Structures are given as structure tokens and as C-alpha cells.
Amino acid sequence: MKQKTTLKQLSKELNVSVSTVSKALNNSSEISTKTIKRVKELAKLYGYKPNPVAVSLKRNKTFTIGILIPDILNHFFAKVLHGIEEQASLKGYKIITCLTNESLDKEKEYLEMLEYNKVDGIIAALSKETQVKEDFSHFKNFKSLDKPLVLFDRITDEIDCDKVLVDDQKAAQDVFEYLKEQNRKNIAVVSTLPHLSVIVARLQGVMTSANQTSTNVKTLMISETKDAESKINDFFKNESFDALIGLDETAASIAINAAKHYQVKIPKDLAIVGFTDGLLAKNAYPKMSVVSQHAIELGKNTVKILLERIENKTLKPKRFIQPTTLIKRASSE
Amino acid sequence: MKQKTTLKQLSKELNVSVSTVSKALNNSSEISTKTIKRVKELAKLYGYKPNPVAVSLKRNKTFTIGILIPDILNHFFAKVLHGIEEQASLKGYKIITCLTNESLDKEKEYLEMLEYNKVDGIIAALSKETQVKEDFSHFKNFKSLDKPLVLFDRITDEIDCDKVLVDDQKAAQDVFEYLKEQNRKNIAVVSTLPHLSVIVARLQGVMTSANQTSTNVKTLMISETKDAESKINDFFKNESFDALIGLDETAASIAINAAKHYQVKIPKDLAIVGFTDGLLAKNAYPKMSVVSQHAIELGKNTVKILLERIENKTLKPKRFIQPTTLIKRASSE
């Protein structure tokens, strides 16, 4: 039996993308007359017939998703973005990535640009400035176009849409309980990024568990990253503790170095647990126990949820909590 | 004297982007009739007059640049991208970022998409697959549209365009000479990414200097990243050397940990120098000496060169070598 000719076969033979073939067959103004002619001639030669179900599904779709990322130097966002790209590509979608660089104005401009580029939906984490100024009007306008929006990690209750987030508070409680089970008495908590909402949530988690167990906790919140090292060294000199939770990867990494500097034995005299299973954790000596947020998986999940929503816009918006894992390594075992 | 009204003021007052105001004033079909009406009414009220020079300069421009990035989990590319965004934004340009994920097909599809989106130019680093298969036809077609293209880091002689690159060979020679000046006799070279063109260039640099000075060099090139740690540990056990060059940041970081494991004193008995001034180098203990490629600066330079080219398409294509710096820290001093 002769196999049906597909868009993919035509695209391969013509050395253009599937989307160009499809647009050319639909006489899109985006495609040059020359290309339309080439595509139609080959389609005719091969007796190509569009699949009517596919046609109805694909109508009015660009198979493109717009992504708003606040900070590409943050490895967590880079990993989420990587996961988004992998899942989107698997499902035949392209992604257009826009970097807002933590600016509300850029977020507005890029959202507007994505509107012109007619994406099928948006995946976004809010910029720091957007969260501080609490200005969400641009997202509300975008939503009113009936375009699906999925927010992740940096979210707000002000926008009614699908949300994907990490339960940072719960993850921090898990770390606390793990250290208490080891009979650690004096727990210290350190962060170099105390202004971020995720760090606030983690600190809340530790404090909730500390209150429940009547445990005293020493905290060091450093707002100027450049002072982090000397402040953490001073903290080691002046305080005593047998467990330390680094609420961010950098804080935990500096703490491991400070322990080496003061010849504190890890994990015997001091157990250290950090957040984010990044390069620093994996390359630490001893290797660092951490909470992994499964950022790549989280990115994939944002795409799955967006595509469900594109297929069915009447679904009730949902809140998906990405599970975390406490990875136990030599810094605490 | 009454100040002239600018597009920026109109955009601020209307809470839309400068590009929307400009398009609305030019009756662009991208803008809704409602917005065109709002913009024109306010422009009339304020007596807005377009600057004729600006109008002629801006005609046929989208003020958007397309970026092709092969791997966003590579911190070097993330930093370059961050630099591109900063410089583009400073000059009033938006960027559309596309992740090719080291795939030739994706590179082709995204380049085609950027063509539809009518960007003013492209900045790209080639995907691994493109370099292996040596298929550059898509870039040649794109160039034939008379659109400027700037290649960086992963480049090819096959495409006639502006190029920005790091002189990795020269940088490696500098490291070698620095270690020889310290009277280090036995130099080892380690990499966990020997297949990358930049690593090949660095190794060539070391070998050139070694030949010139009749120095024996021990090399360990590890093609499977997951074996890196045990292989580097074995290398420490079986070989003796008083200086080690890590051709990538991971290799140098694992070597520092191996030295600690075997209680080799750094830098007294072993000097270690790595490549890339990333998180691992800054957070190593002792802190790692490295070659910095100034990735953010490199990103900014790609934009400067692209914008020059957009203004003057008749310029002869140039090759810009981004200078590197050897940052000396406690792992070697």
C-alpha cells in the first residue's frame, strides 16, 4: 500500500520547515510567491491531501509559545527554560524566549511583542520589579485576549491563570526535620538572597518547624552579596551550631568553605544542607546535601499544562505543586 | 520654551510601548483600530511631530534582533546572552532568543521563523550538529536576504560575515607561560569536554608552548562526563605533576577536590589554573585562578558590531578577537 504523503516529507524534500509547507499550502502572506509555487507543485506531484482533523486542530495556531524569563544568569531559570524547550520541541512547538532582566517595562514590551507575533500561549515568571510594584495590568490585558498563560515560580494571586510552583516552605520543613532526626541541637540558617519570595518561603518553613519543636535557630540574612563571605566567616567565628541550612546554593557553598577554613569537621561536627542541586552542590568537597527543585522537570510541566489549556480553554485554572527531593550527600551523612 | 513631545512620552502616557505608538502613527495593520485612534488623538493633542531624520532611519526597521543559542545550561552562553540583552536594550532593541539545543534542524527552523518575524539582524553561535555536519546552507540563504549576521564563539570560515571570538589558543599559551615562570616542571592538562572546538584550541595552545620550551605535558581527556571524578582521582594517584591546567571549569574544580582528597598542598605542591570565571571558580577553596573570557562583554560586543553593520551594510566583514584575562587567585599564588 502506498503511504500517504505528509507535510514532514514535503518539508524534507524541499528543505524548508513543516510550518512553511503548511503556510504555503494555505497561501499565507508570510511566504514568498516562489515558495508557495514550489510547495504546491510538489504537493500536487505527490498527491498530498491534508488530514481534515489536523487541519481543524491546527487552524489559527502558530505552534509557537512565548516565554518570559526574569534572569538568565540564575541557573534555576536556565534549567527551567531548558526543560520548556525540550518538552515544547517534543510536541512540535517552537519557543520564543524573552529576557525581562527583572524589569517591569521590559516585561510589558515583550508581552506586547509576543501578542503581535501571535503565539499560542505564554509561560512566564514575574520580574522582581513586577512583584515589588504589584503592577499586573499587562498580564490581565493579555489574558483578556483569551490567550492561555502559565505562571511559574514567581507568581501572584492577582492573576487568574494556571500556576506551577515549588513548595519551598514544605521543602525547608523537610530539611529541618531531617537535621532534628540526626539529633542536631543548634541549627543555623544562612541566605545571601533574603529579598526573594522563594527565600522568604524557605525561612518560614524553617521557623514553623522550629516553633513546633521549640528549637532555637540562629539566622544570618545577607543582603549585599559581596559581603557574603566575610559575614559568613564572622558568623562561624562568633556563633556555635552543629547544623547549617543554606537557603540558597551560594550561602551553603560559602559555609562549606568557612567550615574548612576553621577546620570544623563536616558532617561530624557540622551538617550542611543547601537548596538547589546545581554545579556548586555537585562540585563541593565534601559533596553537598541539597533540596532539588527538579527545575528541568518543572519546565516540562509548565508546557504540559499550557498545551492542555490551549486544547481546552474552559478548564478551571489549576495550581500545580512541583515536588522537591532532599538529596542526602556527604555534607550531612 | 516648550519641550517637543517624543514617542517615549506618548508611550508612557498611553501605557503602551514606543514601538506600538510608532506603528499606530504609521497605521500599521499589527495595531488595533482602537489603539491607533487613542495614539493619534493624544499625538494631536500634544502637537507631536515626528523627527524626519529619525523617521528615515527607522523606516523598514523592527528594532528587533534574533539570537540563536546552542545550549542555555552552559553558563558561558547564558552570560553572553545576558550581555546581548543589556546592550540591545540600551540601544532600544528587543531581542528574540531561540534555543537550538545543539540541533541543526532546530537551527534551520528557528532561522526561518526569525525571517518571518522580520528581525533587523541575527546573532548566533553554531550548534554542535551544524559544526559536525558542516551544513551552513540555511545561514547562506539568510545572508542572501541582505540581513546582517554576526557569529560568535562557534563559528565557521564557510560563512562570510562578522565574527566575534575568543582567542582560546593564545589564552592557553599565557597560562602555560605563567606556570613555567613559577618554575613548575611537570605540567598536567585535564578536560571533561575534549570534543568542543574551544577545548581543542586550548589544548593546541598548551602543546605549542610545550614544544617551544621542550616541556613534557601529561594529558587526561575525558569524553564521558560521568567518569570525570574517578578518572581524575586515578590520574592524581598514578601521575606526578606540580601544575595542572583545567581546560574547562569542571575539570579544574574536580582537580582541586582531588588534591584535597590526596592531601596535596595547593598551591605549594600543585598550582591549578582553570578556564571560565564562573561560579565554581569563585566558590572553590582555595579560590581558583582562571582565564576569564569576559562573556558578558563579548555579548555586548556582538550587538555593537551588528548595529554598526545594520547602519552600514557595505562594510567589509570583520573578525573581532575578544581579549581574555588571566585572573590569579589562591590556587596558583
Side-chain angles (χ1 to χ4, degrees):
Chain A
M1 197 183 104
K2 201 179 150 231
Q3 280 226 301
K4 269 195 186 172
T5 307
T6 63
L7 285 179
K8 200 158 186 174
Q9 287 166 325
L10 294 174
S11 93
K12 221 167 176 179
E13 189 126 351
L14 293 161
N15 200 21
V16 297
S17 74
V18 170
S19 116
T20 296
V21 173
S22 163
K23 284 175 181 167
L25 292 171
N26 290 299
N27 301 309
S28 162
S29 60
E30 286 173 13
I31 312 293
S32 70
T33 338
K34 201 178 129 196
T35 305
I36 291 181
K37 199 165 161 259
R38 274 178 68 213
V39 171
K40 288 197 167 175
E41 279 174 357
L42 195 73
K44 201 176 165 189
L45 183 69
Y46 283 5
Y48 169 77
K49 288 273 179 297
N51 172 339
V53 177
V55 168
S56 94
L57 276 174
K58 290 188 182 178
R59 199 157 286 161
N60 291 321
K61 280 172 75 172
T62 59
F63 287 89
T64 309
I65 302 170
I67 319 289
L68 296 172
I69 297 286
D71 177 9
I72 198 62
L73 294 182
N74 180 325
H75 203 59
F76 170 75
F77 285 124
K79 281 168 86 173
V80 172
L81 183 56
H82 183 80
I84 289 174
E85 195 284 325
E86 285 203 337
Q87 184 65 23
S89 165
L90 191 71
K91 295 295 175 185
Y93 278 75
K94 289 200 191 69
I95 64 168
I96 292 183
T97 304
C98 302
L99 308 178
T100 63
N101 208 1
E102 305 289 10
S103 146
L104 172 61
D105 279 349
K106 286 186 192 172
E107 197 174 86
K108 286 183 179 183
E109 293 209 2
Y110 276 116
L111 196 62
E112 221 174 274
M113 182 190 84
L114 291 172
E115 210 180 299
Y116 297 145
N117 284 329
K118 299 187 185 68
V119 294
D120 294 341
I122 299 267
I123 296 171
L126 299 174
S127 84
K128 208 179 284 173
E129 199 186 353
T130 308
Q131 284 195 310
V132 171
K133 294 194 177 162
E134 300 187 333
D135 177 355
F136 309 112
S137 53
H138 47 309
F139 282 108
K140 288 176 184 166
N141 291 339
F142 182 82
K143 279 286 293 173
S144 72
L145 299 171
D146 203 28
K147 291 270 189 190
L149 166 69
V150 175
L151 288 181
F152 73 91
D153 194 54
R154 306 242 200 107
I155 63 168
T156 171
D157 289 337
E158 292 291 308
I159 307 169
D160 184 39
C161 67
D162 294 303
K163 286 158 202 167
V164 178
L165 63 163
V166 174
D167 193 346
D168 283 285
Q169 187 166 338
K170 168 76 168 51
Q173 287 180 270
D174 291 347
V175 173
F176 190 91
E177 278 155 33
Y178 162 66
L179 293 169
K180 288 293 281 185
E181 277 164 18
Q182 291 193 349
N183 274 318
R184 306 279 172 178
K185 309 283 182 212
N186 295 298
I187 296 181
V189 182
V190 179
S191 176
T192 63
L193 302 161
H195 51 282
L196 287 188
S197 56
V198 293
I199 301 292
V200 173
R202 289 169 196 167
L203 187 59
Q204 272 174 349
V206 172
M207 290 312 174
T208 305
S209 292
N211 288 338
Q212 283 165 0
T213 54
S214 305
T215 313
N216 278 327
V217 169
K218 298 183 175 96
T219 61
L220 174 66
M221 298 290 126
I222 306 159
S223 51
E224 285 291 325
T225 318
K226 63 176 170 40
D227 301 336
E229 215 173 302
S230 65
K231 292 215 166 146
I232 291 175
N233 276 332
D234 288 349
F235 191 61
F236 268 75
K237 207 158 65 186
N238 301 326
E239 305 285 348
S240 80
F241 39 82
D242 57 3
L244 183 144
I245 304 173
L247 297 184
D248 54 87
E249 201 183 0
T250 306
S253 169
I254 296 173
I256 286 189
N257 290 347
K260 275 182 277 196
H261 183 72
Y262 290 109
Q263 300 180 317
V264 178
K265 290 201 179 77
I266 302 173
K268 193 177 157 281
D269 299 332
L270 176 64
I272 296 182
V273 181
F275 270 77
T276 301
D277 192 25
L279 287 175
L280 290 179
K282 286 179 187 132
N283 287 278
Y285 186 83
K287 292 202 190 308
M288 195 196 293
S289 298
V290 285
V291 172
S292 165
Q293 296 106 333
H294 304 294
I296 292 178
E297 209 46 44
L298 190 153
K300 289 182 181 179
N301 282 327
T302 61
V303 174
K304 287 177 192 166
I305 289 167
L306 185 75
L307 298 192
E308 268 177 39
R309 170 74 46 194
I310 289 173
E311 293 305 319
N312 186 352
K313 290 187 181 160
T314 59
L315 285 172
K316 207 170 162 275
K318 66 176 163 193
R319 209 177 163 90
F320 178 82
I321 309 287
Q322 179 74 30
T324 58
T325 308
L326 173 54
I327 301 176
K328 297 169 187 174
R329 298 200 181 107
S331 73
S332 68
E333 302 253 300
Chain B
M1 197 183 103
K2 199 180 152 232
Q3 282 225 299
K4 268 194 186 172
T5 307
T6 63
L7 284 180
K8 199 159 186 173
Q9 286 166 323
L10 293 175
S11 93
K12 220 167 176 176
E13 188 126 353
L14 292 161
N15 201 20
V16 298
S17 74
V18 169
S19 118
T20 297
V21 173
S22 163
K23 285 175 182 168
L25 291 171
N26 290 299
N27 302 309
S28 161
S29 60
E30 286 173 12
I31 312 293
S32 70
T33 340
K34 201 178 129 195
T35 304
I36 292 181
K37 198 165 161 258
R38 274 177 69 211
V39 171
K40 288 197 168 175
E41 278 174 357
L42 195 74
K44 201 177 164 188
L45 183 70
Y46 283 3
Y48 169 76
K49 290 270 178 299
N51 172 341
V53 177
V55 168
S56 96
L57 277 174
K58 290 186 183 180
R59 198 155 289 162
N60 290 321
K61 280 172 76 174
T62 59
F63 288 89
T64 308
I65 303 169
I67 320 289
L68 295 173
I69 297 287
D71 177 9
I72 198 61
L73 295 182
N74 179 324
H75 202 59
F76 170 76
F77 286 124
K79 281 168 85 172
V80 172
L81 183 56
H82 183 80
I84 289 174
E85 195 285 324
E86 285 204 337
Q87 183 67 22
S89 165
L90 190 72
K91 295 294 176 186
Y93 279 75
K94 290 199 190 70
I95 64 167
I96 290 182
T97 305
C98 303
L99 308 179
T100 63
N101 208 3
E102 306 289 11
S103 146
L104 172 61
D105 279 348
K106 286 187 191 172
E107 198 174 87
K108 286 183 179 183
E109 292 211 2
Y110 277 117
L111 196 62
E112 220 175 275
M113 182 191 84
L114 290 172
E115 211 180 299
Y116 298 145
N117 284 329
K118 299 185 186 70
V119 294
D120 294 341
I122 300 266
I123 296 170
L126 300 174
S127 84
K128 208 177 285 173
E129 200 187 354
T130 308
Q131 285 195 309
V132 171
K133 294 195 176 160
E134 299 188 332
D135 177 355
F136 310 112
S137 53
H138 47 310
F139 282 108
K140 286 175 185 167
N141 291 340
F142 182 82
K143 279 285 293 171
S144 72
L145 299 172
D146 203 29
K147 290 272 186 186
L149 166 69
V150 176
L151 288 181
F152 73 93
D153 195 54
R154 306 247 200 103
I155 63 168
T156 172
D157 289 337
E158 293 291 307
I159 307 170
D160 184 38
C161 67
D162 295 303
K163 285 158 202 167
V164 178
L165 62 163
V166 173
D167 193 345
D168 282 286
Q169 187 166 339
K170 167 77 169 51
Q173 286 180 271
D174 291 347
V175 173
F176 190 92
E177 278 155 33
Y178 161 67
L179 293 169
K180 287 293 279 184
E181 278 164 19
Q182 291 193 350
N183 275 318
R184 305 280 173 177
K185 310 283 182 212
N186 295 298
I187 296 181
V189 183
V190 180
S191 176
T192 62
L193 301 160
H195 51 281
L196 286 188
S197 55
V198 293
I199 302 291
V200 173
R202 290 169 197 167
L203 187 59
Q204 271 175 349
V206 171
M207 290 311 173
T208 304
S209 292
N211 287 338
Q212 284 165 359
T213 55
S214 306
T215 312
N216 279 327
V217 169
K218 297 182 176 97
T219 61
L220 175 65
M221 299 290 126
I222 305 158
S223 51
E224 284 292 326
T225 318
K226 63 177 169 42
D227 300 336
E229 215 173 303
S230 64
K231 291 213 166 150
I232 291 175
N233 276 331
D234 288 348
F235 192 62
F236 268 74
K237 205 159 65 185
N238 301 326
E239 305 285 348
S240 79
F241 38 81
D242 56 3
L244 183 144
I245 304 173
L247 297 184
D248 55 87
E249 202 183 359
T250 305
S253 169
I254 296 174
I256 286 189
N257 290 346
K260 274 181 279 196
H261 182 72
Y262 290 108
Q263 299 182 316
V264 178
K265 288 201 177 80
I266 303 172
K268 191 176 158 282
D269 299 331
L270 176 63
I272 295 181
V273 180
F275 271 77
T276 302
D277 191 24
L279 286 176
L280 290 180
K282 286 179 186 133
N283 287 279
Y285 186 83
K287 290 200 191 310
M288 194 197 294
S289 299
V290 284
V291 172
S292 164
Q293 297 107 330
H294 304 294
I296 292 178
E297 206 49 42
L298 190 153
K300 290 183 180 178
N301 282 327
T302 60
V303 174
K304 287 177 192 166
I305 289 167
L306 185 75
L307 298 193
E308 268 176 39
R309 171 73 46 194
I310 289 173
E311 293 305 319
N312 186 350
K313 290 187 182 161
T314 60
L315 286 171
K316 206 170 161 278
K318 67 175 162 193
R319 209 177 162 89
F320 178 83
I321 309 286
Q322 179 74 30
T324 58
T325 309
L326 173 55
I327 301 177
K328 297 169 187 173
R329 298 201 180 106
S331 72
S332 68
E333 302 252 299

